[in-house]
């Protein structure tokens, strides 16, 4: 799997690419993550990539030319193009699963007041990571690259994501604990120390349902 990220702020990705599981996935050739500064594609003498909005209004709008030329340059028949914007379709684990099966993802990070709307014509997916507005698409791009990379076979152990929140059963994850069994009077539930795996499975299932009812009742209605 290759992920190409189109951004005006390539430096933001340095730590992301050189830390922990993402770093290891890159070193083990499970994923290639390419960061492209699309300003390089600008045909403007001053490498300008944005301009004021038609009809007036605040802020600057990303122009078509640099982004169209960049996508045309790197796109292959196997590429899927993702546009990140708060006006996109909400991102969720099932979309991460679908995307983790693709060969090449091109992720476009917006900035300033947004994109010229004609840029949407390039996109196979228009995605928002949540109902809030960030200063740009770089953090959302890391959210996608991270959540997709960890689903690529061999990046983390299969068990780790089979038991994640939001899997097919649409339940939140159950509570987990580690040593010590008593921390400042807060005790690990006896059942987890009992060694009775049937009881442990039952307890975990019930806790998942309870937690989902309390925190995300909307998931249970799906
Ligand atoms: N750019 C700014 N805010 C965003 C969001 N919530 N999702 C995706 N891209 C964004």
């Amino acid at each position: 799997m290759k992920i190409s990220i189109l951004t005006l702020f390539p430096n933001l990705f340095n730590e992301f690419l050189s830390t922990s599981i993402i770093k290891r996935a890159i070193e083990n050739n499970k994923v290639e993550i390419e960061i492209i500064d699309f300003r390089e594609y600008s045909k403007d003498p001053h490498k300008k990539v944005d301009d004021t909005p038609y009809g007036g209004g605040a802020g600057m709008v990303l122009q078509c030319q640099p982004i169209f030329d960049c996508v045309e340059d790197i796109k292959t028949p196997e590429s899927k193009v993702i546009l990140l914007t708060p006006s996109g379709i909400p991102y969720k684990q099932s979309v991460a699963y679908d995307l983790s099966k693709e060969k090449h993802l091109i992720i476009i990070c917006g900035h300033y007041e947004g994109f010229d709307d004609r840029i949407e014509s390039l996109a196979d997916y228009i995605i928002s990571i949540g109902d809030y507005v960030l200063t740009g698409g770089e953090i959302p791009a890391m959210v996608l690259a991270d959540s997709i990379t960890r689903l690529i076979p061999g990046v983390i152990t299969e068990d780790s994501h089979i038991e994640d929140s939001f899997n097919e059963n649409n339940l939140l994850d159950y509570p987990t604990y580690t040593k010590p069994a008593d921390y400042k009077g807060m005790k690990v539930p006896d059942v987890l120390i009992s060694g009775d795996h049937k009881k442990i499975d039952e307890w975990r299932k019930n806790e998942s349902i309870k937690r989902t009812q309390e925190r995300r009742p909307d998931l249970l209605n799906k």
Side-chain angles (χ1 to χ4, degrees), residues 19-26 28 30-31 93 97 100 145-165 167 173:
T19 308
S20 189
I21 293 172
I22 300 299
K23 175 188 180 192
R24 209 173 58 217
I26 294 168
N28 294 339
K30 300 287 180 196
V31 67
Q93 189 67 9
Y97 266 104
S100 73
D146 186 289
S147 56
I148 292 165
T149 299
R150 67 188 286 286
L151 296 176
I152 298 171
V155 169
I156 56 173
T157 53
E158 188 86 351
D159 287 0
S160 312
H161 55 75
I162 284 176
E163 294 182 2
D164 284 341
S165 291
N167 273 329
D173 215 353

Side-chain angles (χ1 to χ4, degrees), residues 93 97 150-151 156-177 192 197 200-201 203-205 207-208 211-212:
Q93 189 67 9
Y97 266 104
R150 67 188 286 286
L151 296 176
I156 56 173
T157 53
E158 188 86 351
D159 287 0
S160 312
H161 55 75
I162 284 176
E163 294 182 2
D164 284 341
S165 291
F166 312 116
N167 273 329
E168 304 92 82
N169 59 16
N170 244 334
L171 293 175
L172 299 184
D173 215 353
Y174 49 75
T176 56
Y177 302 86
L192 296 178
H197 285 281
I200 293 173
D201 287 348
W203 181 87
R204 286 179 165 164
K205 182 86 204 276
E207 289 298 310
S208 267
R211 187 172 261 192
T212 311

Side-chain angles (χ1 to χ4, degrees), residues 177-197:
Y177 302 86
T178 187
K179 295 180 186 69
D182 184 335
Y183 181 71
K184 295 184 176 171
M186 293 182 281
K187 294 200 171 65
V188 172
D190 288 338
V191 60
L192 296 178
I193 301 165
S194 69
D196 183 337
H197 285 281

Side-chain angles (χ1 to χ4, degrees), residues 44-214:
D44 179 83
H46 304 291
K47 295 272 175 210
K48 201 162 80 81
V49 290
D50 55 4
D51 213 324
T52 52
Y54 279 118
M60 298 294 272
V61 178
L62 289 170
Q63 291 172 294
C64 290
Q65 180 271 316
I67 293 178
F68 268 79
D69 284 3
C70 181
V71 170
E72 270 161 30
D73 187 31
I74 65 170
K75 198 175 169 176
T76 73
E78 290 185 322
S79 308
K80 287 281 183 314
V81 178
I82 301 167
L83 197 60
L84 291 166
T85 160
S87 337
I89 292 165
Y91 188 56
K92 42 186 179 179
Q93 189 67 9
S94 56
V95 181
Y97 266 104
D98 291 345
L99 294 176
S100 73
K101 300 192 178 98
E102 297 291 345
K103 293 239 165 27
H104 182 209
L105 300 176
I106 298 174
I107 303 180
I108 308 173
C109 305
H111 241 278
Y112 313 119
E113 275 309 298
F115 304 98
D116 185 308
D117 209 63
R118 291 166 286 191
I119 293 171
E120 287 198 359
S121 67
L122 294 170
D124 298 290
Y125 296 83
I126 301 173
I127 291 178
S128 162
I129 63 156
D131 291 342
Y132 40 79
V133 182
L134 299 163
T135 56
E138 284 71 21
I139 292 170
M142 289 183 220
V143 168
L144 262 66
D146 186 289
S147 56
I148 292 165
T149 299
R150 67 188 286 286
L151 296 176
I152 298 171
V155 169
I156 56 173
T157 53
E158 188 86 351
D159 287 0
S160 312
H161 55 75
I162 284 176
E163 294 182 2
D164 284 341
S165 291
F166 312 116
N167 273 329
E168 304 92 82
N169 59 16
N170 244 334
L171 293 175
L172 299 184
D173 215 353
Y174 49 75
T176 56
Y177 302 86
T178 187
K179 295 180 186 69
D182 184 335
Y183 181 71
K184 295 184 176 171
M186 293 182 281
K187 294 200 171 65
V188 172
D190 288 338
V191 60
L192 296 178
I193 301 165
S194 69
D196 183 337
H197 285 281
K198 195 162 168 272
K199 279 222 175 92
I200 293 173
D201 287 348
E202 258 167 46
W203 181 87
R204 286 179 165 164
K205 182 86 204 276
N206 284 335
E207 289 298 310
S208 267
I209 294 169
K210 209 164 90 188
R211 187 172 261 192
T212 311
Q213 264 159 354
E214 280 167 14

